[in-house]
Amino acid sequence: MMLQPRQKYWKTLSGPKLLKLIIGVSAMAIAYEGMSQGVMGAVNVAPEYGQRMGFADERGHVIKPSLQGGIVSTYYAGSLLGAFWAGHFSDKHGRIKGIWMAIFWCLLGVILQASAVNLAHMLVARLCAGCGVAFIIVIAPAWTAELSPAAHRGKMIALTFLANFSGISVAAWIGFGTSFTQMGGGAFRWRFCFASQAIPLVFLFVGSLLMPESPRWLIKVGRNEEAFEIITKIRGNDDPDHPDAQREYREIVAVMEMEKESESSSYVKMFLGIGSGDIHIGRRVQLAFWLQVLMQYGTGIAAVVIYSGTIFRTAGFDDRKSNWLSALLMMVGILGTAIAAFTLDAVGRRRTLYWGAVALSLILFSIGGLNRAAIDHPDRKEQYGTAAAAMVFVYVLIFSASWLMIPFIYPTEIFPTWLRAKGNAFGVAGWAVGFGGGSLLVPIMFDGIGEKTFYVFGAAMFAYIPIIYCFFPETAGRTLEAIDFLFASKSPFTWHEEAEFVKRMAELDTPKGKLCRPE
């Protein structure tokens, strides 16, 4: 009697349980990304680390801020390089193998950072860590988007990003906890912070062995039967005749035929839109890149995070209280992301960006005004400082409930299947440029114009509203294939794209009762 090969784990699950597994595994990837970003806030204040790297004296006072910032920004240089490699690798070899490559680079970065003995060692470690996290941000959201139902795609991606602020918060609390020990002459404090990042990577690797591949990628490489099996599992709960499964499979196949007409495969061709025909890749690239830049730099999030410690101290809080308030601030982001998870699909991407822009603008002007008041009225400095500190918490809540998620969701939705990971690479490039640039430029702005920096970002938020209205079409509730029909319009304006969408969807409808099966 021949032994049957062991059945893949995901095949033993019902459709709803498989969707929960997808969220859980993706969350582990994003948890690492959060810890990887948040860890430097705890590490940079460790005196032994600063002295070893050469930017602080023996008491931990920073004497070379540009070197300190350079070590941090090296991570984003690695991310910028890794993003484009990740896009190419994932579109060629699949999402699961892409996650394995991410784990390799992330784990290498963790080991090198935790064992760093000098500046050169740390710079190499930061480059590796940045490369690995780029693989995660390029692949994990795209993987989740391709396996999620259209009506709840935003919710599922947002739920995975709950782990982002969770990871940042965990890193902050670990840093706070280790600040009380001087083991290893103070080296344990920061080495343990780096080493703790390995925990979500272990869970991510185990989870990746249990997950199905993206059905859209499988159809792209001609493995239609496998793709149809996955679609019927997650859309029809193993019913191959379920109308949702039938329609999604039909849409994927139809759009694949349209995509075959495109010659845009290299990053240069994608950026310039050369040879992309009716699918207008160049237009999508610009939307993905600039939405991330607008969010990471233009919303003022870098200003609020970087300046929050100063605001807490203005309120009269000592260093220890300021440190745990900063950790608590990141936990507020978890609540905001949870709000986003349950509103993004119902409210829509565009309206969420609208209300978020208005609310954040008002808050930024308030923070700037309260800081000015604290300067002009030193006798009431603590009262104004406390009010500004409270507004910082409100800002993080509103930001994470509105603008935080959409720049990560949008690139996973607007690119065609065969270029989705490559397209998302441009979004990650925008993330690296926006956040890395903000980390470098915001301190310069504060040094030059002080609290007026908040006014600049507050004004920018109002300027974003007409940009969103004109150029960013709604994607909520639409299947990934149907979104391709939006960009078939020759015009970049949203009202023309909506008209083209209606026309193309009408042409797609097939006679009732006609079922599709993979050939």
Side-chain angles (χ1 to χ4, degrees), residues 179-229:
S179 68
F180 294 95
T181 179
Q182 289 300 315
M183 288 177 59
F188 174 83
R189 174 177 175 177
W190 60 271
R191 292 190 190 279
F192 183 80
C193 289
F194 280 129
S196 64
Q197 298 174 89
I199 297 172
L201 293 177
V202 173
F203 286 103
L204 176 60
F205 177 71
V206 174
S208 69
L209 301 176
L210 308 177
M211 288 272 282
E213 182 56 87
S214 162
R216 288 164 170 82
W217 182 82
L218 290 171
I219 290 177
K220 169 196 164 185
V221 296
R223 293 158 61 179
N224 290 32
E225 289 188 9
E226 293 178 61
F228 188 70
E229 183 180 10

Side-chain angles (χ1 to χ4, degrees), residues 148-184:
S148 302
H152 304 293
R153 186 171 55 246
K155 176 182 177 180
M156 290 189 67
I157 297 176
L159 284 174
T160 66
F161 268 83
L162 279 172
N164 174 265
F165 268 110
S166 299
I168 295 174
S169 297
V170 168
W173 285 114
I174 289 174
F176 179 69
T178 56
S179 68
F180 294 95
T181 179
Q182 289 300 315
M183 288 177 59

Side-chain angles (χ1 to χ4, degrees), residues 43 57 94 173 193 241 275 291 381 389 392 440 453 471 479 496 510:
V43 166
D57 59 24
W173 285 114
C193 289
D241 296 333
L291 186 58
K381 178 180 177 180
V392 169
L440 292 173
T453 300
F471 300 110
T479 66
H496 293 144
T510 57

Side-chain angles (χ1 to χ4, degrees), residues 15 121 129 155 165 214 219 240 249 318 370 372 382 413 506:
H121 191 157
K155 176 182 177 180
F165 268 110
S214 162
I219 290 177
Y249 180 77
D318 59 27
L370 290 167
R372 183 73 255 172
E382 291 191 7
E413 298 177 312

Side-chain angles (χ1 to χ4, degrees), residues 83-118:
F84 295 107
W85 183 20
H88 173 78
F89 186 93
S90 178
D91 279 335
K92 183 176 181 180
H93 299 289
R95 311 312 186 217
I96 291 178
K97 289 181 180 177
I99 287 293
W100 292 345
M101 182 66 81
I103 293 169
F104 169 79
W105 283 106
C106 289
L107 190 58
L108 180 61
V110 168
I111 294 170
L112 291 175
Q113 287 176 106
S115 63
V117 295
N118 55 38

